[in-house]
Amino acid sequence: MKHVRTTPVLSAIALACGMAVAAPSLAADTIRIAFGGPVTGPITQYGDMVKEGIYTAADVYNAAGGVNGKKIEVVEVDDACEPKQAPVAANRVIKDGIRFVVGHTCTGATVAAAPIYNNEGVVMVTPSATGPVLTDGKNYEFIFRTIGRDDQQGPAAVKFIVEKVQPKKVAVLHDKQSYGQGIAESVRDGLKAANLEPVIFEGINAGESDYSAVITKLKAAGVDFVYFGGYHPELGLLLRQGAEQGLKARFMSDEGAGNPDINAIAGDAVEGMLLTMPADFSTKPENAKVVEAFQAKGRNAGGAFQLSAYAATMAILESIKATGSEDPAKVAQYMHANSFATPIGEISWTPQGDLKSFDFVVYTWHKDGSKTIAEK
Amino acid sequence: MTDFFPLFIQQLFNGLSLGAIYALIAIGYTMVYGIIGMINFAHGEIYMVGAYVGLVALTAIGTQSGLPIWLIIAAMLALSVTVTGVYGYTVERIAYRPLRSSPRLVALISAIGMSIFLQNWVGLGQGTRDMAVPSLISGAYTLQMGESFEITIAWSRLMIIGVVLVLMIALTLFIQHSRMGRASRACSQDLQMAELLGINTDRVISFTFVLGAVLAAVGGVLIAITVGKLNPFIGFIAGIKAFTAAVLGGIGSIPGAMLGGVLLGVAETLAAGYISSEYKDIVAFGLLVLILLFRPTGLLGKPEVEKV
Amino acid sequence: MLAQLPRALIAAVFAFVILAPIFGLKLVRQGMHSALQPHWNIVLWGCAAVFVVQLLHPWLARLFARVRLPSVPALDEEHHLWAWAAVVLLAVVWPFFGGRSAVDIATLALIYVMLGLGLNIVVGFAGLLDLGFVGFYAVGAYTYGLLYYWAGWSFWECLPLAGAMAALFGFLLGFPVLRLRGDYLAIVTLGFGEIIRLLLTNLTDWTGGPDGISGIPSPTLFGLEMTRRASSPEGQTFHEFFDMPFNPDHMVIYLYLLALALALVTLLVSNRLLRMPIGRAWEALREDEIACRSLGLNPTRIKLSAFTLGAMFAGFGGAFFAARQGLVNPESFTFIESALILSVVVLGGMGSQVGVILAAVALTVLPEVVREFAEYRMLAFGFVMVLMMVWRPQGLLPMKRPQVDL
């Protein structure tokens, strides 16, 4: 609002404010990319995974002389994974004149931040928010993701269960959070369609420590296969307490549970557990260099979101390079129009910003923390 | 349903072991409330600190040390109890003692601040990610009942119930017969009068905080061993549940806290088992509301005398 | 100083016990096992600091005794109105010149002002400890969310309804529980708050479960949308109407002004209520329930009115929150939110409206100011809360009641 025809004092204040806003862009001899996600709060580890990917990508590009002659700088913006804090974080990014965001990390926070970025013309690529609600029916121009949607992951699991495992009685559990419940519902619906209706479909409280009541229930119902939608801490406890009560059922879960910490929590009970995960790109020979770049800084490329965050950062930077401009509108246009060769494979986007295809692979998890492609 | 009875026994056992932990934490709430009439919201965090210290002790000893398991657990308990005792004392000194004469709500806010502080304090020191506790006691006693269902009594859960039972008896004896116990009972009857009669009330209050912290720490260590997962935020949920248990039993009454804890644990487990886990907290809080509607001062609480 | 030596030594030992297991021995993951990594430096420095501070304790105490906290100059009735007018004028004008993220934070602060003033009626005026206030806030937010989602209602149609719904909930829940006293009331309200949140999570078919409802439109200005493009072909946007280039700052400022207006309405209404017989009755009840009863006041009805009115303001706040955020989900309505609103009331000085406003602003801005410290942010927040209570137990600006000195 340019109403600066009031008193000189007010215009001086406005000028000062204008300069304060303009100052960062004057000093912009770097390309700044913001990381949006949890730096504080209970789920910082997912933020850490994303950060590792962004920082490694920035390091690799900087070592190669930057993009268009400019170095890449990563700025961290904390949203604590809370939808309440996400708009505040997004407005902070905009105030600082940053035009590219890799994040946010959790679906809820991302959904709250996305309209602000889109209105403001800031390119946001989330490497970890999988909820369909982020993009469905929104027609965003500036919002992308480099990860599969929950409703892509569910069918992959259903296919494997129906074709390979062929269990008699299935239970589907979830952690009553956006991510877990979304996948669990998708799996339940898929199983129903395949005439394998789950005998139990139930949510458990994330963050609690005693799930023995549910275990007893599973055992009493004679369940021989359990699908769990959610993250590794709860799955680990289910496995451990299941083993304790002698529950003889096979467990399957999603990529959010694919964290080495689950071995520490559940011990030997993890052996044979099935997981749908994005193909493990860190073992592919063509990614050896990228993985090396991760290891050089003591980071781990094998987690859930490191490589998707790397790919997100890479897509932005490649688009800046190709268009020769840091105009987010041009970058977004270029991203929509082209495909990118990234460590997670050749990626391109649908008009609403989802990946055109994203493959999930079913792995068997072992008690030494390794995983192999599941046969049956 | 031939399996109804064994299934019920199994769920009851699950509920008892959960309720025993609630009861341990609830005692800390109820004792503090009984004496100075404040809700110590940071109490759940003390439980969390206790669990962390237990894990540090266990890691320092190592699971492969060859020491007998009971000795390892005793060492974990000893260290945890010492450290949390100091925590309880310090928290009281810093955040509550200066507020002794202020309205109770002020102390409540101070406690909420302390609770946020302690969560982030441990988060900063030990990281916010989940830490796993290696399982020390595995195995279970199985009992075939009914046609196809067998009851599993895990040793670790049996240990919880055993330890809590012993502690409760010891605590009751202590409160009834020791000098300090008598003094603290006097303080909970009338703090000012107790002071006039020459009881060092500051010491009794400090002692109450230390004792509450010690019990919470035992709960923390036991749950860490059994459940095997910790993060700096576990204290919050456990704290709210335990507080609910304390009120359910009648806040200020130690037997009430024990009863409330066990009742809440069993109610939750049965609700999860027979209705749905999704509704177990609703059942727990619903039960609380119902009981308070019919007994406004909890199950074993003394009716408040209105003073004009 | 020598007299302080034993005391300082004990304090240092305590500091060691407190620091060593949390900061001195860090648990680190090595493969699937944990190991301990000693960091004794931090512990030793911490102990040394505690030792020195305790050693110099009497001296420091004398030093601090001389430092006096600035007190707010008292205004007489005449200047009061002018001061208010100036503050309101400033609040209306500054967003046009402030940065957008500052305005956004201010909007968040104003939501807490609204909630704080609402809870102030219950806790500050009527003296009822309510730990489930967030439940009514959720009812307001979901009223708008659900009516938009299922019936396509707009913000302005939903706003009065959100208040009414929350008030209804306050009335219905208050009815059975208000005969409970003190802390029993507190825990039952906490229970109700949790039950509302759990129902919102579990009734997936209606409320969207943990995802909640997203895509909730922002308020319009007399039918003009404040977006880049109108949502329907016949709709018109604000910038088209005034023939200006689209500027997203308009939306931020508009939301801020709306929040300001709602907060002012809350302030004025609760201020008037306090001077009405009902307000006097609240305060009388808070001070002495038995005396009230013997004077013929009906405690249940008085308590219920406070509870219902407080809930109503939470409902307005909730509807605005949903509109600002564009998203409602159960995560936003956890107990910690209730605790935060309660802190606003107590920190401000119970019953004092100016205090509540100050505290709401302080508690929202403080975490933003210390945002640079990332992981120390919430640590500092908790610590400051404790410090504030210890230093000013009566609150920032305790309520002064009109009195006559004889």
Side-chain angles (χ1 to χ4, degrees):
Chain A
M1 288 209 169
K2 303 252 158 40
H3 293 302
V4 196
R5 51 188 173 81
T6 42
T7 59
V9 181
L10 284 180
S11 44
I13 296 170
L15 187 68
C17 292
M19 280 169 66
V21 174
S25 51
L26 285 178
D29 48 358
T30 58
I31 297 173
R32 287 183 302 160
I33 293 183
F35 154 75
V39 180
T40 58
I43 23 190
T44 47
Q45 49 182 317
Y46 295 102
D48 291 342
M49 290 184 196
V50 172
K51 272 195 279 183
E52 286 189 352
I54 304 175
Y55 278 114
T56 310
D59 290 346
V60 167
Y61 276 84
N62 282 339
V67 172
N68 298 347
K70 291 178 175 180
K71 293 277 183 200
I72 290 101
E73 186 191 335
V74 182
V75 181
E76 293 181 18
V77 185
D78 182 22
D79 66 8
C81 260
E82 286 178 17
K84 175 181 76 172
Q85 296 201 29
V88 176
N91 277 315
R92 202 179 178 88
V93 167
I94 288 157
K95 187 199 91 182
D96 290 350
I98 300 171
R99 281 160 292 178
F100 306 99
V101 178
V102 177
H104 292 210
T105 306
C106 307
T107 299
T110 313
V111 170
I116 297 173
Y117 290 128
N118 195 62
N119 253 333
E120 196 62 33
V122 170
V123 173
M124 186 201 92
V125 187
T126 172
S128 55
T130 53
V133 59
L134 172 62
T135 50
D136 272 356
K138 299 278 172 42
N139 296 320
Y140 290 142
E141 299 155 59
F142 294 94
I143 308 299
F144 301 85
R145 59 176 136 205
T146 53
I147 188 114
R149 288 157 50 115
D150 295 343
D151 48 7
Q152 290 170 323
Q153 185 164 179
V158 171
K159 190 162 175 276
F160 190 86
I161 298 171
V162 174
E163 288 174 7
K164 302 281 174 57
V165 185
Q166 294 168 340
K168 289 187 205 67
K169 276 187 178 173
V170 186
V172 177
L173 303 178
H174 60 83
D175 64 354
K176 293 209 278 189
Q177 295 182 24
S178 237
Y179 169 71
Q181 187 165 345
I183 294 184
E185 279 169 0
S186 151
V187 167
R188 176 195 60 186
D189 297 342
L191 289 175
K192 258 188 203 167
N195 278 326
L196 194 72
E197 185 156 353
V199 290
I200 293 175
F201 178 79
E202 198 165 306
I204 59 173
N205 288 342
E208 261 181 20
S209 49
D210 188 29
Y211 300 122
S212 54
V214 180
I215 300 286
T216 302
K217 205 161 149 181
L218 295 175
K219 210 173 130 189
V223 164
D224 64 342
F225 191 86
V226 181
Y227 186 87
F228 175 74
Y231 296 110
H232 66 275
E234 282 74 34
L235 179 62
L237 291 185
L238 283 173
L239 285 165
R240 181 163 172 166
Q241 291 171 15
E244 187 186 273
Q245 280 199 30
L247 174 71
K248 291 171 197 72
R250 200 159 176 209
F251 277 76
M252 184 172 193
S253 189
D254 47 47
E255 96 216 86
N259 186 313
D261 281 9
I262 197 168
N263 290 70
I265 296 170
D268 291 351
V270 294
E271 180 65 44
M273 169 184 81
L274 298 168
L275 287 179
T276 44
M277 292 185 87
D280 186 357
F281 301 103
S282 65
T283 55
K284 292 206 169 153
E286 63 264 30
N287 287 336
K289 271 210 170 128
V290 175
V291 173
E292 229 167 72
F294 271 93
Q295 281 162 352
K297 288 281 166 74
R299 298 169 188 145
N300 170 20
F305 305 126
Q306 277 91 342
L307 284 178
S308 61
Y310 187 96
T313 318
M314 192 174 163
I316 293 175
L317 293 175
E318 286 298 327
S319 304
I320 294 174
K321 202 189 271 179
T323 56
S325 123
E326 284 168 53
D327 178 5
K330 283 187 190 155
V331 169
Q333 213 171 17
Y334 185 85
M335 285 173 75
H336 273 299
N338 292 282
S339 69
F340 299 83
T342 67
I344 58 169
E346 186 82 12
I347 56 172
S348 55
W349 283 279
T350 65
Q352 66 173 4
D354 292 323
L355 286 177
K356 275 193 181 138
S357 69
F358 193 81
D359 285 335
F360 284 96
V361 181
V362 181
Y363 286 99
T364 310
W365 199 266
H366 299 291
K367 59 184 172 191
D368 58 356
S370 66
K371 55 180 189 283
T372 53
I373 291 175
E375 302 295 331
K376 62 170 196 161
Chain B
M1 284 288 273
T2 45
D3 285 344
F4 176 80
F5 185 64
L7 195 61
F8 183 75
I9 299 283
Q10 174 78 61
Q11 294 289 26
L12 207 59
F13 175 74
N14 294 339
L16 271 179
S17 61
L18 181 65
I21 298 288
Y22 286 164
L24 265 189
I25 311 172
I27 289 174
Y29 276 108
T30 228
M31 284 176 61
V32 167
Y33 188 89
I35 292 180
I36 52 175
M38 83 167 261
I39 304 167
N40 177 14
F41 247 106
H43 190 60
E45 271 58 48
I46 297 284
Y47 153 85
M48 177 270 296
V49 169
Y52 264 92
V53 176
L55 178 58
V56 167
L58 176 63
T59 316
I61 299 167
T63 39
Q64 313 297 327
S65 57
L67 290 172
I69 285 170
W70 65 267
L71 199 65
I72 297 180
I73 296 179
M76 285 167 77
L77 285 174
L79 190 71
S80 176
V81 156
T82 318
V83 174
T84 47
V86 173
Y87 264 88
Y89 177 81
T90 315
V91 165
E92 197 266 335
R93 272 311 280 270
I94 292 176
Y96 307 145
R97 189 172 293 183
L99 300 175
R100 197 63 57 71
S101 54
S102 316
R104 291 181 332 185
L105 258 186
V106 171
L108 177 71
I109 301 301
S110 181
I112 291 174
M114 204 59 191
S115 157
I116 296 175
F117 177 81
L118 282 177
Q119 277 175 18
N120 288 281
W121 170 257
V122 175
L124 201 62
Q126 298 289 14
T128 48
R129 61 193 283 184
D130 287 287
M131 291 308 298
V133 187
S135 62
L136 281 177
I137 307 173
S138 54
Y141 175 73
T142 53
L143 189 66
Q144 187 77 35
M145 266 174 95
E147 284 171 12
S148 57
F149 188 80
E150 53 186 25
I151 298 178
T152 324
I153 309 273
W155 295 128
S156 54
R157 283 170 194 269
L158 207 58
M159 172 192 75
I160 289 186
I161 298 177
V163 171
V164 171
L165 216 59
V166 169
L167 276 179
M168 300 265 176
I169 294 168
L171 180 71
T172 312
L173 290 177
F174 180 80
I175 295 286
Q176 291 300 327
H177 300 292
S178 73
R179 256 181 91 83
M180 202 57 174
R182 267 202 299 278
S184 79
R185 273 187 296 144
C187 286
S188 79
Q189 291 253 321
D190 191 331
L191 197 62
Q192 270 182 339
M193 194 63 206
E195 192 159 18
L196 287 177
L197 289 174
I199 294 173
N200 184 345
T201 49
D202 271 345
R203 253 184 71 188
V204 173
I205 291 169
S206 286
F207 170 79
T208 309
F209 272 87
V210 171
L211 192 61
V214 161
L215 292 175
V218 173
V221 171
L222 291 180
I223 207 87
I225 294 172
T226 319
V227 162
K229 184 202 80 167
L230 313 173
N231 63 43
F233 306 93
I234 54 168
F236 190 70
I237 296 179
I240 289 202
K241 289 284 171 62
F243 176 45
T244 309
V247 177
L248 192 64
I251 195 155
S253 143
I254 292 175
M258 299 176 189
L259 181 69
V262 171
L263 206 63
L264 193 72
V266 170
E268 262 186 28
T269 313
L270 291 184
Y274 291 102
I275 306 172
S276 162
S277 316
E278 284 154 22
Y279 288 92
K280 78 180 171 91
D281 284 354
I282 296 183
V283 170
F285 286 118
L287 181 78
L288 172 85
V289 173
L290 266 183
I291 289 186
L292 286 187
L293 285 184
F294 292 105
R295 285 195 63 90
T297 48
L299 289 174
L300 301 182
K302 276 177 270 164
E304 267 175 68
V305 183
E306 293 181 36
K307 293 168 200 155
V308 181
Chain C
M1 198 180 277
L2 217 58
Q4 291 294 316
L5 200 59
R7 186 191 156 93
L9 273 176
I10 292 173
V13 170
F14 272 30
F16 178 81
V17 174
I18 283 174
L19 284 166
I22 303 296
F23 283 88
L25 294 163
K26 273 202 169 135
L27 292 159
V28 286
R29 300 295 301 282
Q30 287 178 349
M32 270 174 292
H33 300 283
S34 310
L36 290 176
Q37 210 177 55
H39 290 266
W40 293 115
N41 274 348
I42 308 175
V43 179
L44 292 179
W45 279 112
C47 293
V50 169
F51 182 75
V52 172
V53 168
Q54 284 296 334
L55 206 58
L56 303 176
H57 189 258
W59 185 69
L60 285 173
R62 240 176 296 143
L63 197 71
F64 272 105
R66 249 178 284 158
V67 181
R68 299 197 55 161
L69 294 169
S71 61
V72 184
L75 288 173
D76 46 59
E77 282 294 315
E78 239 173 292
H79 293 118
H80 227 116
L81 202 65
W82 285 108
W84 272 111
V87 167
V88 170
L89 192 71
L90 191 70
V92 170
V93 168
W94 81 268
F96 294 98
F97 307 104
R100 85 176 258 170
S101 83
V103 177
D104 197 48
I105 293 165
T107 312
L108 197 62
L110 284 171
I111 294 180
Y112 282 102
V113 169
M114 230 182 297
L115 294 169
L117 288 173
L119 186 62
N120 193 31
I121 295 178
V122 186
V123 180
F125 296 165
L128 304 166
L129 181 49
D130 183 355
L131 289 180
F133 198 62
V134 78
F136 306 122
Y137 181 40
V139 168
Y142 268 86
T143 305
Y144 178 31
L146 291 172
L147 280 176
Y148 160 72
Y149 187 77
W150 294 107
W153 287 34
S154 76
F155 173 76
W156 291 108
E157 290 164 319
C158 290
L159 185 66
L161 239 133
M165 257 330 252
L168 182 71
F169 264 73
F171 183 80
L172 291 179
L173 297 187
F175 208 73
V177 302
L178 282 176
R179 67 193 193 97
L180 299 174
R181 319 185 105 239
D183 300 286
Y184 292 97
L185 178 69
I187 185 76
V188 169
T189 50
L190 188 155
F192 272 136
E194 285 292 291
I195 288 176
I196 289 177
R197 184 177 64 83
L198 291 166
L199 283 177
L200 291 174
T201 315
N202 291 338
L203 299 174
T204 310
D205 294 338
W206 296 350
T207 61
D211 281 335
I213 296 163
S214 66
I216 300 173
S218 303
T220 54
L221 179 69
F222 301 112
L224 298 175
E225 289 179 52
M226 290 238 170
T227 46
R228 195 184 286 272
R229 274 185 299 272
S231 58
S232 59
E234 66 270 20
Q236 201 173 19
T237 63
F238 178 74
H239 64 102
E240 282 165 3
F241 188 79
F242 287 100
D243 203 22
M244 295 190 289
F246 174 71
N247 182 351
D249 286 3
H250 293 169
M251 185 72 223
V252 177
I253 294 174
Y254 175 55
L255 280 176
Y256 166 83
L257 291 176
L258 205 58
L260 185 66
L262 283 171
L264 280 177
V265 168
T266 314
L267 178 67
L268 289 179
V269 171
S270 61
N271 207 13
R272 289 321 300 171
L273 281 171
L274 191 59
R275 284 145 203 250
M276 277 162 49
I278 184 76
R280 299 286 183 230
W282 288 336
E283 290 194 278
L285 198 72
R286 177 189 64 198
E287 298 303 329
D288 196 332
E289 188 171 336
I290 295 174
C292 276
R293 230 180 293 164
S294 38
L295 286 173
L297 295 172
N298 179 347
T300 314
R301 195 186 290 170
I302 295 166
K303 283 182 185 171
L304 207 53
S305 64
F307 215 65
T308 311
L309 281 168
M312 185 183 78
F313 288 118
F316 289 141
F320 180 80
F321 174 78
R324 168 190 176 256
Q325 191 105 309
L327 164 82
V328 285
N329 64 3
E331 262 175 73
S332 312
F333 307 106
T334 49
F335 167 70
I336 194 77
E337 201 75 10
S338 280
L340 204 64
I341 305 169
L342 187 65
S343 316
V344 164
V345 176
V346 179
L347 203 60
M350 272 187 287
S352 149
Q353 288 162 323
V354 183
V356 167
I357 294 171
L358 278 183
V361 173
L363 280 189
T364 337
V365 174
L366 180 72
E368 293 307 317
V369 172
V370 291
R371 193 173 273 278
E372 308 302 328
F373 299 99
E375 57 254 48
Y376 298 92
R377 183 161 83 101
M378 292 313 283
L379 192 77
F381 181 71
F383 191 62
V384 169
M385 248 167 105
V386 175
L387 272 191
M388 285 296 297
M389 289 288 88
V390 172
W391 268 344
R392 273 189 88 81
Q394 70 277 46
L396 288 172
L397 278 180
M399 176 153 85
K400 284 199 207 86
R401 49 188 62 258
Q403 57 188 26
V404 184
D405 288 318
L406 293 175

